[in-house]
Structures are given as structure tokens and as C-alpha cells.
């Protein structure tokens, strides 16, 4: 398994690592700061360099057995297994994902309905809610900005599966249940606002979300309201 440095510190922008395996245009490293596609958040992109070469990383995905695959641009030169490489994130893009992802948690705490889907990108993000009511865009936008302005601390902690089973209300996302079988589950806590199982990368404080705005609200069926959000910078 790849050592996931971004789990403990989502603000790491680069790291040194050793090439463990080369698999069909993708590199598997012993450790990485690159987040792999999951939980609605895109895989990271960036750059890899080593003695004698460099290449762009165009996507990051989980492979079999919990390894993380760094997908290189087509036709890229490759380091060799055992080589030390320096991996650098496209930090601007990743930081927007962190702002968006944290904003999604805030949105979910404002609209307290079941979440049936979601997607994050650097430009816009969306959450699908299991609700019949009309979404009051202005009120939701104002509530969101209030949570940003109040600057709540954001942190992660781990609980056991038994502790989670004792508090089923923690799981608001109905389509995405937290991964089981590892014994412990990662919880994302926004102090006084939200507590949810989540494996993504987040900010340290809600103030960093910045200028978030509610975009289009779409009716996707009787029981589904899709709420889009944007960052205005
Ligand atoms: Zn999250």
C-alpha cells in the first residue's frame, strides 16, 4: 500500500518518494502527497522529476490492493523502479478542491437532507439532496457565507466501526457509505457545525473557503435537488 501523506497533512505540496512499480503508464510510489480520485473529489495532477528526467502527472487513481497510481502524460519518459523522485502537486488546483470540498460540508450542514450524490471540481461543484422542498437560494447562500465568516476550525479524527455503528446519524451521505473493513473510520469535524465520515482533503478553517456562491439549483426529479456552488476568485 502507498503511504498516504495527504491523510495527515492535506497542505503538503510535494514529497520525495521511491518508485515501487511501473504499471501501464502509471507509477506506484512508496509514499505520496497526490490524492486519488474518490468521494467526488478528482485525482490530483502535478509534476514528477528525478535525476535525468521529469514528467507531468495527469491523473491519480487507486489501483488494486490500496496502491495509488500516478498516471503520466502519454509518451512521457519514465524513471526506473528504485529511483528516487520528487513529486510536486498542481497546488492551485488542489487548493481549490480543498476549498470546494470544505464548502460542500458546509452546504450539507445548511441543507439537512440526505445526500445522494456529489461532484467537486476546481471550477464548480454540486451536491444532490434527497428533498422535495424548494431550495431558497438566497437563504442558503447567506447561511453558507455566515459559516465561512465565523471561521470554524476543521480537523480530522478516527473512530472505530463500532463507535460509528452506535451513531448512525453521522452518516448523512446515503449513496456513499464510509469504507469498512479497516477497523477505523476517518471523521471530518467542522467545530460546532458538522461531523461526517470523509476521506477527502480539507482546509484547516472555514474562513479559507472564501468567496463561495450558490449557483444553479436544478430539479432532478421529485425527490432530488441539485445545488451547484462556485468560488468567485
Ligand atoms: Zn470531506
Amino acid at each position: 500500500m502507498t503511504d498516504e501523506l495527504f491523510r495527515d497533512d492535506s497542505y503538503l505540496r510535494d514529497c520525495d518518494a521511491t518508485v515501487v512499480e511501473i504499471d501501464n503508464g502509471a507509477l506506484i510510489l512508496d509514499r505520496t502527497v497526490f490524492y486519488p480520485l474518490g468521494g467526488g473529489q478528482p485525482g490530483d495532477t502535478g509534476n514528477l522529476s528525478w535525476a535525468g528526467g521529469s514528467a507531468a502527472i495527469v491523473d491519480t487513481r487507486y489501483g488494486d490492493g490500496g496502491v495509488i497510481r500516478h498516471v503520466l502524460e502519454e509518451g512521457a519518459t519514465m524513471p526506473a523502479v528504485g529511483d528516487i523522485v520528487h513529486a510536486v502537486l498542481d497546488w492551485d488546483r488542489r487548493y481549490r478542491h480543498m476549498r470546494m470540498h470544505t464548502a460542500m460540508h458546509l452546504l450539507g450542514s445548511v441543507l439537512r437532507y440526505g445526500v445522494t450524490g456529489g461532484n467537486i471540481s476546481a471550477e464548480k461543484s454540486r451536491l444532490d439532496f434527497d428533498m422535495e422542498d424548494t431550495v431558497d437560494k438566497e437563504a442558503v447562500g447567506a447561511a453558507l457565507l455566515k459559516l465561512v465568516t465565523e471561521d470554524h476550525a476543521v480537523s480530522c479524527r478516527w473512530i472505530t466501526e463500532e463507535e460509528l455503528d452506535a451513531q448512525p446519524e453521522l452518516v448523512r451521505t446515503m449513496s456513499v457509505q464510509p469504507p469498512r473493513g479497516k477497523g477505523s473510520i476517518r471523521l471530518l469535524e467542522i467545530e460546532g457545525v458538522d461531523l461526517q465520515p470523509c476521506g477527502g482533503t480539507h482546509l484547516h478553517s472555514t474562513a479559507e473557503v472564501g468567496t463561495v456562491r450558490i449557483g444553479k439549483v436544478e430539479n432532478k426529479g421529485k425527490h432530488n435537488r441539485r445545488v451547484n456552488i462556485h468560488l468567485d476568485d
Side-chain angles (χ1 to χ4, degrees), residues 108 110-115 128-134 172-173:
V110 170
L111 286 170
R112 294 207 164 263
Y113 297 85
V115 171
D128 288 352
F129 292 94
D130 178 24
M131 65 183 285
E132 292 182 41
D133 305 341
T134 305
R172 194 177 48 228
T173 49

Side-chain angles (χ1 to χ4, degrees), residues 101 105 188 198 200 202:
H101 192 134
H105 283 276
L188 187 273
C198 188
H202 311 89

Side-chain angles (χ1 to χ4, degrees), residues 43-57:
D44 281 330
T45 56
N47 192 268
L48 206 66
S49 61
W50 61 93
S54 70
I57 298 171

Side-chain angles (χ1 to χ4, degrees), residues 22-201:
I22 297 171
D23 169 34
N24 200 14
L27 289 184
I28 294 157
L29 308 174
D30 63 338
R31 61 212 291 267
T32 190
V33 293
F34 280 65
Y35 179 82
L37 172 76
Q41 185 176 329
D44 281 330
T45 56
N47 192 268
L48 206 66
S49 61
W50 61 93
S54 70
I57 298 171
V58 295
D59 198 4
T60 307
R61 300 281 179 109
Y62 271 118
D64 294 336
V67 298
I68 293 177
R69 304 176 78 250
H70 303 77
V71 182
L72 299 192
E73 62 189 325
E74 236 180 273
T77 53
M78 294 265 185
V81 170
D83 279 357
I84 306 283
V85 297
H86 188 60
V88 182
L89 283 182
D90 177 346
W91 175 251
D92 289 347
R93 177 173 177 271
R94 154 66 99 69
Y95 189 61
R96 288 182 78 85
H97 291 164
M98 286 161 61
R99 290 173 63 199
M100 283 288 199
H101 192 134
T102 306
M104 299 288 247
H105 283 276
L106 296 181
L107 179 60
S109 77
V110 170
L111 286 170
R112 294 207 164 263
Y113 297 85
V115 171
T116 55
N119 192 60
I120 292 166
S121 82
E123 289 74 39
K124 75 169 187 177
S125 301
R126 62 172 171 82
L127 275 184
D128 288 352
F129 292 94
D130 178 24
M131 65 183 285
E132 292 182 41
D133 305 341
T134 305
V135 175
D136 183 341
K137 250 178 81 165
E138 293 223 339
V140 171
L144 207 55
L145 276 181
K146 181 168 179 284
L147 291 171
V148 171
T149 310
E150 285 169 351
D151 193 10
H152 298 267
V154 182
S155 61
C156 285
R157 57 189 163 94
W158 297 83
I159 62 167
T160 64
E161 292 179 2
E162 292 72 34
E163 286 171 302
L164 182 68
D165 288 338
Q167 307 168 74
E169 68 279 5
L170 289 180
V171 185
R172 194 177 48 228
T173 49
M174 302 198 304
S175 65
V176 191
Q177 289 289 315
R180 296 282 181 145
K182 287 181 179 171
S184 58
I185 288 164
R186 190 168 178 260
L187 287 184
L188 187 273
E189 178 165 34
I190 302 178
E191 215 173 74
V193 178
D194 192 33
L195 183 65
Q196 285 288 302
C198 188
T201 60

